[in-house]
Amino acid sequence: RGARLPCAVTAVHDHPDLGQTRSRPGGRFDLVVNGGGVVTLEYHREDFLAAHRRLDLGWQEFVEIEDVALVRADPVVTTILLAAMTEPIAARSSLTADERGERQTTVLFPPGTTATMEMPDGTLQPLEELHVRLTEYTVGSNGPNSMPSGLPVTSAYTFAFEATVEEAVAAGARSVHFDPPVPGYVENFLELPTGIAVPFGYYDRERAVWVPSPDGRVIRVVAIEEGLAAVALAADEEPASEEELAAEGFTDGERRRLATLYAPGASLWRVRMPHFSPCDWNFSWGAPLSAIWPRNP
């Protein structure tokens, strides 16, 4: 567990009329809110990623809520100069490890990528230089308390991270959008079968909701051929055809960069991200993949 955090600001999302409070040296705080409904508390402190928690409150009662752990942004920063790129550039997080295994979040920026900041008033501003951090939430025993928000009931705690751009944070932007979407990767630390879908959602802090996005896929680098990664997209783990790879958004540049980042045999989750927000690659609840389903007599 992390250290108790003083001076963290707590407020009710979208209710500036209710004011705010700061945590005491022991990490505890008191806040008076309107009862008889649902409120979303927002927690933030400089140099930490913000978190939300949704509460259903009664009338005239004191409620002690579960611990919330604020996460420091990853110390590794990657500089991306979009106009100067001739080959994809990889932004990578620090290596993380827990009882589930080692992993490292990676995002590739192909040549020709454009980036725009979405400002609070809805306007867009172009970005040419990006300083990118990739911070995982779901690490260790304190991971569930570190999530950017509570998960929907249909989603199981699996893997979540936040991709941030320093320029957008400094400008107070809501998000950073990319055209085309940038591919993100993480090692298949749960040893899921090649070819299955990786559910993708993101947390919209403005609306305080999780938003579903198109799924990714578990892939495997099966070989390196003439400097390009041969990639399997299905359970048979046969190299996919050029047409199949193109349908998934792969380019030769991405495959060339994969060949330098991962050895043959590497199993990965791949998700294409149209923008940076708290990202949730979480699978739904269900029986283990190895379970034998009952059959009719």
Side-chain angles (χ1 to χ4, degrees), residues 13-99:
H13 177 70
D14 217 20
H15 277 281
D17 53 302
L18 297 178
Q20 63 182 35
T21 188
R22 291 181 181 269
S23 57
R24 298 187 288 274
R28 300 178 68 87
F29 66 89
D30 300 294
L31 182 65
V32 177
V33 302
N34 295 325
V38 176
V39 299
T40 298
L41 297 185
E42 52 186 27
Y43 305 83
H44 61 91
R45 201 183 106 160
E46 188 176 2
D47 298 329
F48 290 81
L49 301 179
H52 283 184
R53 292 296 183 271
R54 185 179 174 90
L55 303 174
D56 191 353
L57 302 175
W59 293 100
Q60 297 181 341
E61 62 182 15
F62 291 92
V63 176
E64 185 166 323
I65 64 176
E66 296 181 356
D67 288 349
V68 175
L70 297 186
V71 176
R72 287 189 182 274
D74 194 291
V76 177
V77 181
T78 305
T79 302
I80 309 293
L81 302 174
L82 294 177
M85 291 192 304
T86 57
E87 287 290 329
I89 301 297
R92 312 197 80 182
S93 70
S94 300
L95 185 69
T96 59
D98 54 21
E99 69 281 358

Side-chain angles (χ1 to χ4, degrees), residues 8-260:
V9 176
T10 302
V12 179
H13 177 70
D14 217 20
H15 277 281
D17 53 302
L18 297 178
Q20 63 182 35
T21 188
R22 291 181 181 269
S23 57
R24 298 187 288 274
R28 300 178 68 87
F29 66 89
D30 300 294
L31 182 65
V32 177
V33 302
N34 295 325
V38 176
V39 299
T40 298
L41 297 185
E42 52 186 27
Y43 305 83
H44 61 91
R45 201 183 106 160
E46 188 176 2
D47 298 329
F48 290 81
L49 301 179
H52 283 184
R53 292 296 183 271
R54 185 179 174 90
L55 303 174
D56 191 353
L57 302 175
W59 293 100
Q60 297 181 341
E61 62 182 15
F62 291 92
V63 176
E64 185 166 323
I65 64 176
E66 296 181 356
D67 288 349
V68 175
L70 297 186
V71 176
R72 287 189 182 274
D74 194 291
V76 177
V77 181
T78 305
T79 302
I80 309 293
L81 302 174
L82 294 177
M85 291 192 304
T86 57
E87 287 290 329
I89 301 297
R92 312 197 80 182
S93 70
S94 300
L95 185 69
T96 59
D98 54 21
E99 69 281 358
R100 301 185 297 170
E102 291 187 351
R103 52 199 177 271
Q104 186 174 27
T105 311
T106 299
V107 176
L108 294 186
F109 294 84
T113 300
T114 61
T116 53
M117 295 187 295
E118 182 184 354
M119 305 306 293
D121 62 1
T123 60
L124 300 177
Q125 295 184 13
L127 280 171
E128 292 293 338
E129 181 174 348
L130 295 75
H131 292 81
V132 176
R133 297 179 191 261
L134 306 172
T135 308
E136 185 182 349
Y137 288 105
T138 44
V139 182
S141 60
N142 215 27
N145 295 333
S146 304
M147 292 290 289
S149 180
L151 289 170
V153 294
T154 55
S155 184
Y157 171 85
T158 315
F159 175 75
F161 71 98
E162 183 155 358
T164 53
V165 175
E166 298 289 274
E167 289 78 4
V169 173
R174 290 177 179 172
S175 185
V176 177
H177 298 261
F178 299 98
D179 185 21
V182 292
Y185 292 89
V186 71
E187 283 79 2
N188 183 14
F189 59 96
L190 297 182
E191 300 181 356
L192 300 174
T194 302
I196 69 169
V198 176
F200 172 33
Y202 70 92
Y203 189 68
D204 185 330
R205 286 197 175 100
E206 291 294 317
R207 295 188 291 155
V209 294
W210 287 102
V211 181
S213 293
D215 292 342
R217 187 190 293 261
V218 178
I219 68 168
R220 188 180 295 277
V221 177
V222 294
I224 308 297
E225 300 172 350
E226 298 181 355
L228 300 179
V231 176
L233 302 175
D236 60 13
E237 300 204 343
E238 291 296 320
S241 68
E242 298 290 337
E243 293 76 14
E244 291 170 326
L245 292 172
E248 292 285 328
F250 280 91
T251 63
D252 284 353
E254 180 181 350
R255 293 172 61 197
R256 194 157 41 244
R257 195 70 178 96
L258 287 180
T260 67

